[in-house]
Amino acid sequence: DAKHLVPNKMRDFFCTINLDQEEVFRTQVVEKSLSPYFGEEFYFEIPRTFQWLSFYIYDKSVLQKDLRIGKVSIKKEDLCNYTGKENWFMLQPVDSNSEVQGKVHLELKLNELITDNGSVCQQLVVHIKECHGLPLINGQNCDPYATVSLVGPSRNDQKKTKVKKKTSNPQFNETFYFEVTRSSSYTKKSQFQVEEEDIEKLEVRVDLWNNGNLVQDIFLGEIKVPVKVLRNDSFQAWYLLQPRENGNKSSKTDDLGSLRLNICYTEDRVLPSEYYTSLRNLLLKSSDVQPISASAAYILSEVCRDKCDAVLPLVRLLLHHHKLVPFVAAVAELDLRDTQEANTIFRGNSLATRCVDEMMKIVGKHYLKVTLKPVIDEICESPKPCEIDPIKLREGDNVEINMENLRYYVDKVFREIVRSSISCPTLMCDVFYSLRHLAAKRFPNDPHVQYSAVSSFVFLRFFAVAVVSPHTFHLRPHHPDAQTSRTLTLISKAIQTLGSWGSLTKSKLSSFKETFMCEFFKTFQEEKFTESVKKFLDDVSSTESKEPSGVSEPVHLKEGEMYKRAQGRTRIGKKNFKKRWFCLTSREFTYHKQQDKEPIFTIPIKNILAVEKLDENSFNKKNMFQVLHGEKPLYIQANNCVEASEWIEALCRVTRCNQRRLSFYHPSAFLNGSWLCCKATAESTEGCARCTADVPADTQIEIDGDRETERIYSLFTINRSKLQKLEEACGSIAVYQGPRKEPDDYSNFTIEDSVATFHTLQQIIDIVEKLDESHEKYQKKRSSSAKYGSE
């Protein structure tokens, strides 16, 4: 959210998230406010290098261009200082001289020249090779050129490259020469030395500009290199473009308002797979370790300050290697040992409950869309008043009508859930089956506990949470407005109660904190609700295979506006690309002239042969990809790098099991009678590059096991002191075999078998130290090959 925004009158605001100058997300517009609450979460993989993560606040305009009020820009290197916590940031003014992005490749050299009269001068050679990742200007590739200057106290020699048309990655390949110093006393010296005072004051400056033709040129960034660093050496390096130091700086930054952000940023340097073999094997055998508290996976959760940090990479790694179900069963059994009453089963935030929560989020995305998206869309797009709290009723509200509306929505959501067991992923069913039988074994005299063990997850922690926060589960693009959020909260409360096995008794109704909810639930006291819940829980906690009773409806996976290249037409220029609405379901990929219109073009999913990125040089456009099917390739331009990456991932996932997938493709387009990539003249020529995803894989989830193992290594490294403290605690217990001494050091750790735990800890510490060495070798190798000015 933001507060105290200018101008000091009620306006309509929205916020964008940018990687450098590329917008990747924007919030919905909050109308008539000076302190807008956005309340939106965006999770995304960053598909390219960047310097700044920026947030821009805009004043929405109907007739004119939206006005940028201010921004918060955080340097990539500083993101770790703000991660995992809320911070208020003062908005800074938007200065055109500070809006930069991209990098430039330079080769610099100092030459020693002897003139005709025998004297010696120093000559600076600047070879500007290329740039990469320059920003789009008004949504189009820019027309860049560079100025190269040698700047000193009394000189400013400037030269200019040619303008390159419509490209964000211009290839300049131009060389410029500058006279640096001249010596009249060369004959007195055996070797010419550049005088220190001269060199100290000179620097090479390269400025990148967009050629504006009839309008003013736009500054794209600059780099400065002191000549003194060259001495008599030469080198080449990539330099990240920097803001102009003399940009307009306002002293009234505190007048623009402030923005509250909660940022979670992680960055891992993943080594080749063989480096992680020992750690991976140690983690994967965790479910076989007796007791489970002595396993590497359990120790990871013990030493991390926040269990959530450990749970995500751990669950993903175990999922990837099909080891999650036995591990969850083992930690759930440990959890149940400490549970004294059946009605509190799996209600805390233990390792077991968090693992199941994370598993449901990863595996159950598709399941949620199938089950809830249509009814959530109806509630959000055609909302009916549902407020039944007398205190919150507005003038003119009819509580009876509102209660009927709420009952209609609750019935519809409940009905969709209890009918959805056929769509529940097999992995979720396997986990629920284990939990159900463990609960019944722990409380053999309670007939309901086997159901409450499952309902506490599938209703309370899965469906109810998705209903109240549909945007976080990608069921809706934005956070709902206040009235719709209230409706969803009431529905979520109702679903939690209906899903709790045995909760529709009079004793339960009398325990409602809100009287109005108690009155509402009196209408639900019917046997069919409890029987429906029981049947649903039986179905989703069964390991028997379930066959669909009929042809299932296609599942909506992704939609949005992009640009596609006209197929089979001869038009040139911008008109050759048309804005279209794209829609991906589990059956087909279509595009439409407008949203909600009939499709113009349809590709059945089974006909898609490959989905790959398209080289920018094909059409001089960024963020392009291609869908290869039976006919000519479909070329599509996404609006930003994140959107392109998400579409490619979604299309690859849904087509992974296609039998006719290609192994090779052309990374560039077929234009003017030949492929730009391999110069082959036959359009039917087999591709010249291997497809990035030519092997059929699991269509549900895509996990990089090495990346997750690297994240776990990082967590062990961060918590090395706790590992050592736990090791000392195990040694102390094993030696003394009596009352624990200094319990404050390890009383928070679960140590059931000190010898087994000590053995695992030694293995972890040994593996972490070896990985430390591997990372250090990599860093040394990288630093020795990197030169001044490199990224």
Side-chain angles (χ1 to χ4, degrees):
D1 58 349
K3 63 182 181 181
H4 309 316
L5 299 179
V6 294
N8 294 315
K9 56 183 178 179
M10 307 296 269
R11 303 300 289 264
D12 301 339
F13 293 105
F14 66 91
C15 180
T16 68
I17 303 174
N18 292 50
L19 289 174
D20 298 320
Q21 292 307 294
E22 184 176 16
E23 179 185 321
V24 293
F25 290 106
R26 72 168 54 190
T27 68
Q28 62 185 350
V29 177
V30 178
E31 298 179 347
K32 303 293 184 285
S33 176
L34 283 178
S35 298
Y37 176 77
F38 301 110
E40 300 199 35
E41 295 181 11
F42 300 96
Y43 170 83
F44 60 101
E45 299 283 337
I46 300 175
R48 64 169 177 81
T49 57
F50 71 104
Q51 292 188 71
W52 299 86
L53 179 67
S54 300
F55 304 82
Y56 291 83
I57 296 289
Y58 282 82
D59 178 0
K60 180 71 175 174
S61 177
V62 178
L63 301 177
Q64 298 177 335
K65 188 177 179 180
D66 299 330
L67 176 65
R68 288 196 286 193
I69 300 297
K71 69 173 182 178
V72 171
S73 289
I74 305 172
K75 205 170 181 61
K76 177 185 175 182
E77 291 76 15
D78 296 333
L79 283 170
C80 57
N81 300 329
Y82 303 105
T83 190
K85 53 191 175 184
E86 288 187 356
N87 293 277
W88 279 101
F89 296 88
M90 302 302 295
L91 289 178
Q92 303 298 318
V94 179
D95 169 23
S96 60
N97 287 325
S98 67
E99 307 297 293
V100 302
Q101 167 185 316
K103 56 187 179 181
V104 59
H105 192 190
L106 291 183
E107 182 177 11
L108 304 171
K109 186 176 182 180
L110 272 175
N111 286 335
E112 186 178 287
L113 301 179
I114 301 176
T115 61
D116 294 338
N117 60 9
S119 62
V120 171
C121 71
Q122 288 285 87
Q123 183 187 60
L124 174 67
V125 183
V126 180
H127 180 193
I128 178 166
K129 295 190 171 185
E130 59 182 317
C131 290
H132 188 270
L134 298 181
L136 299 177
I137 304 297
N138 298 323
Q140 300 293 324
N141 280 337
C142 54
D143 295 337
Y145 69 91
T147 59
V148 183
S149 308
L150 183 63
V151 182
S154 58
R155 64 188 293 177
N156 187 356
D157 302 338
Q158 186 179 95
K159 300 181 181 183
K160 177 181 170 182
T161 69
K162 296 176 182 176
V163 175
K164 299 296 180 180
K165 292 289 186 179
K166 301 299 176 193
T167 177
S168 295
N169 303 317
Q171 303 284 325
F172 292 113
N173 200 28
E174 295 189 41
T175 304
F176 301 99
Y177 301 90
F178 298 91
E179 185 180 291
V180 179
T181 58
R182 183 182 296 277
S183 173
S184 58
S185 55
Y186 173 72
T187 54
K188 298 179 182 179
K189 297 181 180 181
S190 59
Q191 183 179 359
F192 179 78
Q193 301 271 333
V194 177
E195 296 180 15
E196 292 294 329
E197 58 270 23
D198 294 329
I199 289 295
E200 290 289 339
K201 299 170 185 176
L202 292 176
E203 65 180 11
V204 179
R205 192 178 77 204
V206 178
D207 295 80
L208 268 294
W209 298 85
N210 177 62
N211 183 36
N213 291 323
L214 300 177
V215 297
Q216 186 175 2
D217 293 354
I218 298 175
F219 176 73
L220 300 178
E222 70 176 13
I223 62 106
K224 296 179 179 180
V225 184
V227 175
K228 66 179 180 181
V229 303
L230 298 175
R231 300 300 176 184
N232 292 320
D233 193 14
S234 67
F235 65 88
Q236 56 180 316
W238 282 99
Y239 294 84
L240 294 171
L241 291 172
Q242 301 298 324
R244 182 179 283 169
E245 290 183 359
N246 62 349
N248 299 327
K249 303 229 176 146
S250 170
S251 59
K252 298 183 179 180
T253 56
D254 56 339
D255 295 335
L256 298 176
S258 52
L259 182 65
R260 182 168 60 167
L261 302 169
N262 189 337
I263 301 169
C264 293
Y265 174 77
T266 57
E267 180 179 323
D268 298 308
R269 196 174 302 284
V270 184
L271 299 172
S273 185
E274 59 267 20
Y275 286 89
Y276 300 108
T277 303
S278 298
L279 180 57
R280 181 170 56 243
N281 291 342
L282 186 64
L283 290 162
L284 293 179
K285 71 177 185 181
S286 291
S287 57
D288 301 324
V289 175
Q290 294 292 335
I292 190 67
S293 59
S295 68
Y298 194 92
I299 289 170
L300 174 68
S301 71
E302 287 281 271
V303 298
C304 287
R305 184 176 62 85
D306 188 346
K307 274 189 171 60
C308 290
D309 293 339
V311 166
L312 180 57
L314 182 60
V315 167
R316 290 174 68 86
L317 180 68
L318 294 175
L319 266 176
H320 185 59
H321 292 280
H322 310 291
K323 294 283 188 180
L324 182 65
V325 177
F327 178 74
V328 168
V331 293
E333 191 172 11
L334 180 62
D335 208 15
L336 286 168
R337 266 185 248 158
D338 297 329
T339 305
Q340 303 304 317
E341 297 181 16
N343 61 358
T344 62
I345 192 168
F346 299 131
R347 292 299 174 95
N349 283 322
S350 64
L351 176 60
T353 57
R354 290 188 177 186
C355 282
V356 178
D357 285 351
E358 204 57 55
M359 177 275 296
M360 292 190 298
K361 286 180 185 175
I362 297 169
V363 177
K365 285 181 183 178
H366 185 256
Y367 180 32
L368 277 177
K369 283 188 176 179
V370 175
T371 309
L372 290 184
K373 189 168 184 3
V375 65
I376 294 294
D377 285 343
E378 179 187 341
I379 294 167
C380 294
E381 292 168 11
S382 305
K384 299 178 181 179
C386 294
E387 185 57 72
I388 58 174
D389 184 352
I391 298 174
K392 295 185 178 181
L393 286 172
R394 292 179 296 187
E395 188 177 347
D397 282 352
N398 186 316
V399 71
E400 285 79 16
I401 293 176
N402 288 6
M403 193 173 288
E404 287 179 13
N405 292 337
L406 182 59
R407 176 62 191 261
Y408 167 77
Y409 283 147
V410 170
D411 278 343
K412 194 159 188 177
V413 172
F414 179 80
R415 187 167 59 249
E416 293 298 328
I417 291 173
V418 296
R419 289 178 178 176
S420 70
S421 60
I422 192 70
S423 303
C424 186
T426 304
L427 188 70
M428 287 176 64
C429 294
D430 291 343
V431 169
F432 296 152
Y433 175 82
S434 296
L435 297 177
R436 175 177 179 168
H437 285 271
L438 287 169
K441 181 181 174 182
R442 174 68 178 84
F443 299 100
N445 298 322
D446 190 325
H448 300 315
V449 72
Q450 59 177 318
Y451 295 109
S452 59
V454 179
S455 68
S456 63
F457 286 106
V458 74
F459 277 102
L460 273 65
R461 294 171 175 263
F462 187 58
F463 284 121
V465 178
V467 167
V468 81
S469 302
H471 56 293
T472 60
F473 288 84
H474 306 291
L475 298 176
R476 294 291 298 169
H478 295 292
H479 182 78
D481 60 55
Q483 182 178 333
T484 306
S485 289
R486 174 63 179 165
T487 297
L488 293 172
T489 300
L490 292 171
I491 296 170
S492 179
K493 284 184 178 182
I495 294 302
Q496 289 182 54
T497 306
L498 290 173
S500 299
W501 171 253
S503 65
L504 295 179
T505 62
K506 290 183 180 179
S507 60
K508 286 281 183 180
L509 287 174
S510 62
S511 67
F512 270 109
K513 292 180 181 178
E514 303 103 332
T515 307
F516 63 88
M517 288 300 289
C518 183
E519 291 297 318
F520 176 63
F521 266 98
K522 286 180 180 178
T523 63
F524 284 87
Q525 294 187 53
E526 302 171 26
E527 186 67 23
K528 68 174 185 179
F529 284 100
T530 54
E531 286 302 314
S532 295
V533 170
K534 180 177 180 297
K535 184 180 184 308
F536 171 74
L537 295 176
D538 280 333
D539 289 343
V540 297
S541 58
S542 169
T543 56
E544 297 177 5
S545 61
K546 302 182 288 293
E547 294 296 331
S549 56
V551 179
S552 59
E553 289 296 312
V555 181
H556 177 96
L557 299 174
K558 189 172 179 62
E559 63 180 353
E561 202 170 59
M562 296 187 289
Y563 296 84
K564 68 96 188 174
R565 183 174 184 262
Q567 293 180 298
R569 299 179 187 174
T570 57
R571 292 181 184 174
I572 58 174
K574 287 186 281 187
K575 289 184 179 180
N576 208 25
F577 279 81
K578 298 280 186 136
K579 185 186 291 186
R580 293 290 182 255
W581 185 264
F582 288 81
C583 183
L584 175 65
T585 72
S586 55
R587 286 189 190 167
E588 57 191 21
F589 181 49
T590 59
Y591 62 77
H592 315 241
K593 200 160 190 177
Q594 293 175 339
Q595 188 178 5
D596 299 326
K597 298 288 185 182
E598 288 299 310
I600 301 172
F601 190 74
T602 299
I603 306 174
I605 293 300
K606 64 181 181 180
N607 291 353
I608 294 179
L609 307 177
V611 181
E612 298 288 344
K613 291 181 179 178
L614 186 71
D615 286 351
E616 182 189 323
N617 62 8
S618 297
F619 303 105
N620 284 332
K621 291 182 180 294
K622 300 178 75 172
N623 307 317
M624 288 202 67
F625 63 96
Q626 53 183 319
V627 179
L628 306 178
H629 56 111
E631 302 174 26
K632 291 186 177 181
L634 177 61
Y635 297 127
I636 301 170
Q637 183 187 25
N639 293 295
N640 57 66
C641 62
V642 172
E643 185 179 83
S645 177
E646 289 178 348
W647 271 104
I648 293 171
E649 182 184 355
L651 282 160
C652 283
R653 187 185 299 121
V654 79
T655 59
R656 279 286 172 88
C657 290
N658 287 357
Q659 296 300 313
R660 298 189 301 123
R661 282 190 65 89
L662 297 176
S663 295
F664 293 87
Y665 79 106
H666 290 284
S668 290
F670 185 83
L671 294 175
N672 301 321
S674 68
W675 290 100
L676 297 180
C677 42
C678 59
K679 309 305 179 187
T681 55
E683 197 167 359
S684 59
T685 303
E686 186 183 16
C688 55
R690 179 170 287 279
C691 288
T692 55
D694 61 328
V695 181
D698 185 350
T699 59
Q700 294 297 321
I701 48 177
E702 232 177 308
I703 293 172
D704 184 341
D706 293 337
R707 181 178 178 181
E708 305 306 334
T709 313
E710 168 63 29
R711 180 100 291 270
I712 291 170
Y713 154 72
S714 300
L715 292 170
F716 276 135
T717 303
I718 293 167
N719 295 285
R720 196 189 303 261
S721 61
K722 288 187 179 179
L723 287 173
Q724 293 167 345
K725 190 176 287 187
L726 185 54
E727 188 181 33
E728 292 168 7
C730 291
S732 175
I733 294 169
V735 170
Y736 291 107
Q737 293 291 320
R740 294 185 176 186
K741 295 188 176 183
E742 301 178 7
D744 288 345
D745 283 347
Y746 52 86
S747 58
N748 292 328
F749 297 135
T750 302
I751 305 175
E752 294 180 284
D753 186 329
S754 59
V755 176
T757 305
F758 185 83
H759 178 64
T760 305
L761 282 164
Q762 284 187 316
Q763 289 179 286
I764 293 171
I765 292 171
D766 182 52
I767 290 169
V768 167
E769 287 176 351
K770 288 179 180 176
L771 277 170
D772 285 342
E773 293 175 8
S774 300
H775 275 280
E776 286 173 11
K777 286 179 182 177
Y778 173 82
Q779 285 292 85
K780 284 180 181 177
K781 183 179 178 182
R782 186 172 186 270
S783 61
S784 65
S785 61
K787 297 189 176 182
Y788 177 88
S790 296
E791 297 174 68

